[in-house]
Amino acid sequence: MERTMPQAVPLGQMEVFQALQRLHMIIFSQNVSPCGKFLAAGNNYGQIAIFSLSAALSSEAKEESKKPMVTFQAHDGPVYSMVSTDRHLLSAGDGEVKAWLWAEILKKGCKELWRRQPPYRTSLEVPEINALLLVPKENSLILAGGDCQLHTMDLETGTFTRALWGHTDYIHCLALRERSPEVLSGGEDGAVRLWDLRTAKEVQTIEVYKHEECSRPHNGRWIGCLATDSDWMVCGGGPALTLWHLRSSTPTTVFPMRAPQKHVTFYQDLILSAGQGRCVNQWQLSGELKAQVPGSSPGLLSLSLNQQPAAPECKVLTAAGNSCRVDVFTNLGYRAFSLSF
Amino acid sequence: MGSVTDDEIIRKRLLIDGDGAGDDRRINLLVKSFIKWCYSGSQEEEYSQYQRMLITLSQCEFSMRKTLLVYDMNLRETENYEKTYKEIECSIAEAREKIAECKRQILQAKRIRKNHQEYDALVKVIHHYPDRCETLKELEALRKELEHLSHIKESVEDTLELRKKQFYVLLTVLHELKQTLENHEKPSKVEAAQETSMETDPKP
């Protein structure tokens, strides 16, 4: 990612620069506030923008409601992943995790509450953090990324408690299996590994590319997205998007989607996925495509469902990817409008 | 509050009925004609005026009754409206509850559908493998064949052992016989040699 920080730009070219910046923007991550009324989006320049969903969804929404309420420079590098606890927004990208208070985030000049860096083996290179996962039962945060390990950080004390080894290449995505507290991680090496948090050991490995039904060698073996429903798991990326039964480690349904998918999630009785195409795809568990709703970005990288109980009127699906726009779907059937950086 | 509404009423009535046109005027006229009638002179005038007064009185009573009826009607209409309003409110609340119930049922149905689909997915996977009964039968048949073959092998081995032993016995007996024959032959050869040497010796 190029760093496009200008040193001295003559005023006339400022608009040109900003337009170019918006043209090349990629939104990597999104997250909803605990009250459900705000959406944070992080892009490849390290900026985080906070949008007010309640203002944009209200009946008197104007053009300005679709712009961010505040945008600030959070990281030096891209913001690859964000999660929210009850009061904080945690963002990570260039090797560090930073925490911001939701209550203060709308004020100008917001400073991070704290920043931490997991203990890396070498101090020369600082690997990026691709995925964050909250484990509410033990109040800890799991980070995973370029150094092929999963680090666990206790949120109260800020210390790094475990480092889980096993992946041979960098990790793309994490998911939490709630019933038995296990974490699933998928990475570039094509394996989905299940880790037991209590014993800090690898419990199961599923090498997706070795199964004939779903492997697509021309795309590679990387696992780009993971979602789990305790007994079932969906994963996709290089291999086709497949539904797995975890107990027996067998692939049960292969979804016929040619483009690699970058984000997948379970929702009620459907599976929502988005990736290299323009559309958000809705699948039934039997493998049928229920609907394909086009968005405004040429490729999508993240989906976010606002299911916070405190704001049922803001219950929307937002999708963002290779553009400066965040599409808002009020009803899964069509795109209502787009928020823009 | 009462005084305000009274003022309102008074203002309205003054606007509508300011100079006493209508019922008020009729009552004033009646009072005036009554006073005139008291001071009137001739009999016919008295009678006609008396008739006129009765007519006015009955007109006043008629309009009063009309107003009372209209008032009653208004009261009943308002009651009626209140009732329908309450009924509509009740039905709105019921409809809202039904909507909430239907939403819950939709969620439930979606969960059931999801379970069905998960079940179907697993069934598909299970059907890849053959039935358990068949595999058990095949296993049973294979086991029996294996037993049978091992019996045959045992019996063949037994006969082999037996034959080996018999041949061994035969061979040992043959060997002994040969030995015995050889032993027998040797002393007779020696004797024959001794005899020939004894015969050749005394001759010269």
Side-chain angles (χ1 to χ4, degrees):
Chain A
M1 263 331 121
E2 312 166 295
R3 302 211 180 170
T4 43
M5 292 285 116
Q7 254 89 42
V9 177
L11 268 159
Q13 291 186 358
M14 202 52 177
E15 290 84 22
V16 175
F17 171 72
Q18 273 176 0
L20 275 177
Q21 214 185 26
R22 286 162 52 104
L23 191 64
H24 292 288
M25 191 182 291
I26 301 178
I27 300 181
F28 281 109
S29 54
Q30 310 169 54
N31 205 265
V32 181
S33 67
C35 63
K37 302 213 171 97
F38 298 100
L39 178 75
N43 68 5
N44 56 337
Y45 302 122
Q47 298 166 333
I48 292 182
I50 311 285
F51 296 92
S52 167
L53 280 176
S54 45
L57 286 167
S58 70
S59 38
E60 319 94 43
K62 299 169 294 244
E63 271 311 302
E64 297 93 61
S65 335
K66 306 202 176 130
K67 289 275 171 193
M69 297 187 71
V70 67
T71 313
F72 55 94
Q73 187 72 28
H75 288 261
D76 295 328
V79 182
Y80 286 125
S81 171
M82 292 197 287
V83 286
S84 270
T85 60
D86 291 337
R87 291 170 33 224
H88 302 114
L89 172 68
L90 305 169
S91 64
D94 52 351
E96 281 187 330
V97 180
K98 294 192 187 177
W100 316 81
L101 254 185
W102 271 110
E104 307 269 316
I105 212 165
L106 290 175
K107 305 188 187 151
K108 286 246 172 206
C110 172
K111 284 276 173 208
E112 74 253 14
L113 260 188
W114 45 259
R115 65 163 82 179
R116 306 215 39 90
Q117 199 181 57
Y120 294 123
R121 271 173 296 166
T122 65
S123 51
L124 289 169
E125 41 141 272
V126 180
E128 76 279 10
I129 297 178
N130 280 330
L132 291 174
L133 183 69
L134 271 179
V135 185
K137 273 196 189 143
E138 30 171 73
N139 197 21
S140 67
L141 177 71
I142 301 188
L143 308 94
D147 67 337
C148 318
Q149 297 175 45
L150 279 91
H151 296 274
T152 324
M153 184 183 100
D154 185 67
L155 280 173
E156 268 189 50
T157 59
T159 50
F160 287 93
T161 43
R162 324 176 184 97
L164 300 168
W165 297 67
H167 275 282
T168 53
D169 211 340
Y170 58 91
I171 300 172
H172 278 294
C173 44
L174 296 171
L176 181 67
R177 191 180 177 191
E178 270 158 31
R179 254 183 249 160
S180 45
E182 281 174 11
V183 176
L184 286 88
S185 60
E188 188 74 15
D189 58 353
V192 174
R193 289 172 207 271
L194 281 82
W195 311 85
D196 187 337
L197 288 173
R198 283 174 293 193
T199 59
K201 284 218 177 57
E202 190 177 321
V203 173
Q204 206 181 350
T205 310
I206 299 176
E207 287 181 314
V208 182
Y209 62 96
K210 286 200 178 153
H211 290 254
E212 270 179 49
E213 302 103 329
C214 45
S215 86
R216 296 190 296 201
H218 53 273
N219 274 341
R221 34 164 101 166
W222 51 278
I223 303 290
C225 53
L226 256 185
T228 180
D229 197 21
S230 283
D231 289 327
W232 300 81
M233 170 189 86
V234 186
C235 67
L241 191 67
T242 335
L243 179 69
W244 291 75
H245 186 234
L246 278 175
R247 280 253 202 92
S248 53
S249 299
T250 47
T252 55
T253 329
V254 177
F255 298 103
M257 184 81 205
R258 282 183 60 210
Q261 302 293 291
K262 304 275 176 69
H263 196 276
V264 72
T265 178
F266 281 93
Y267 174 61
Q268 290 181 348
D269 64 332
L270 297 172
I271 292 176
L272 305 174
S273 78
Q276 231 171 41
R278 209 168 251 280
C279 311
V280 176
N281 310 302
Q282 301 172 25
W283 306 92
Q284 302 261 13
L285 286 178
S286 54
E288 289 162 30
L289 182 62
K290 183 177 173 205
Q292 236 178 356
V293 189
S296 66
S297 319
L300 290 169
L301 288 172
S302 72
L303 292 174
S304 163
L305 268 169
N306 182 358
Q307 286 175 312
Q308 298 288 3
E313 71 277 4
C314 296
K315 185 171 177 189
V316 293
L317 168 74
T318 47
N322 290 344
S323 73
C324 59
R325 289 176 296 275
V326 177
D327 298 327
V328 177
F329 299 79
T330 43
N331 166 329
L332 286 186
Y334 63 94
R335 176 182 75 94
F337 55 89
S338 293
L339 303 165
S340 158
F341 250 81
Chain B
M1 257 326 231
S3 61
V4 170
T5 42
D6 275 348
D7 281 344
E8 278 290 319
I9 295 171
I10 291 170
R11 228 181 63 198
K12 277 242 160 80
R13 293 212 60 189
L14 281 173
L15 279 172
I16 299 169
D17 215 34
D19 57 347
D23 296 324
D24 244 2
R25 201 181 79 175
R26 228 182 263 147
I27 293 177
N28 287 337
L29 276 177
L30 182 66
V31 168
K32 281 188 199 148
S33 56
F34 179 71
I35 294 173
K36 247 198 244 169
W37 180 73
C38 290
Y39 287 114
S40 73
S42 58
Q43 277 289 344
E44 313 131 10
E45 254 188 56
E46 256 185 50
Y47 192 66
S48 59
Q49 270 189 343
Y50 176 66
Q51 290 296 327
R52 257 184 253 130
M53 277 200 313
L54 281 180
I55 290 172
T56 336
L57 197 61
S58 55
Q59 275 177 351
C60 288
E61 276 180 8
F62 174 70
S63 73
M64 184 184 85
R65 256 195 229 138
K66 211 165 68 168
T67 336
L68 274 178
L69 283 175
V70 166
Y71 173 69
D72 270 343
M73 177 197 82
N74 281 339
L75 279 181
R76 268 179 290 158
E77 269 301 299
T78 36
E79 265 179 42
N80 201 10
Y81 282 143
E82 290 268 311
K83 212 168 64 172
T84 11
Y85 178 71
K86 282 205 183 84
E87 276 172 21
I88 290 179
E89 263 193 11
C90 280
S91 49
I92 285 180
E94 266 178 40
R96 276 215 198 102
E97 269 179 38
K98 272 196 202 143
I99 287 179
E101 180 64 31
C102 285
K103 280 195 181 154
R104 276 195 291 265
Q105 282 180 356
I106 280 189
L107 274 183
Q108 177 76 350
K110 280 191 175 164
R111 247 178 273 149
I112 290 177
R113 176 155 71 161
K114 184 173 173 183
N115 288 338
H116 274 291
Q117 286 179 338
E118 287 177 3
Y119 176 79
D120 285 336
L122 277 180
V123 160
K124 251 198 310 187
V125 172
I126 288 175
H127 274 157
H128 275 154
Y129 300 102
D131 221 355
R132 194 192 274 201
C133 305
E134 286 175 21
T135 3
L136 280 176
K137 277 191 207 149
E138 278 179 28
L139 277 173
E140 191 61 32
L142 282 172
R143 203 173 54 79
K144 283 210 177 103
E145 220 183 298
L146 201 67
E147 254 186 66
H148 182 61
L149 287 171
S150 61
H151 276 154
I152 294 179
K153 179 172 150 190
E154 268 180 42
S155 58
V156 163
E157 275 181 6
D158 281 342
T159 28
L160 189 68
E161 273 299 312
L162 191 65
R163 298 285 179 269
K164 264 197 206 164
K165 284 187 193 152
Q166 285 170 340
F167 269 114
Y168 183 67
V169 167
L170 181 66
L171 282 173
T172 28
V173 166
L174 273 176
H175 196 66
E176 273 183 20
L177 181 64
K178 187 170 156 194
Q179 286 281 12
T180 337
L181 285 176
E182 275 180 11
N183 287 344
H184 223 258
E185 234 177 81
K186 256 202 204 151
S188 57
K189 268 197 185 159
V190 167
E191 274 181 27
Q194 273 181 355
E195 276 182 20
T196 46
S197 65
M198 275 171 61
E199 274 187 22
T200 51
D201 259 345
K203 270 213 177 163

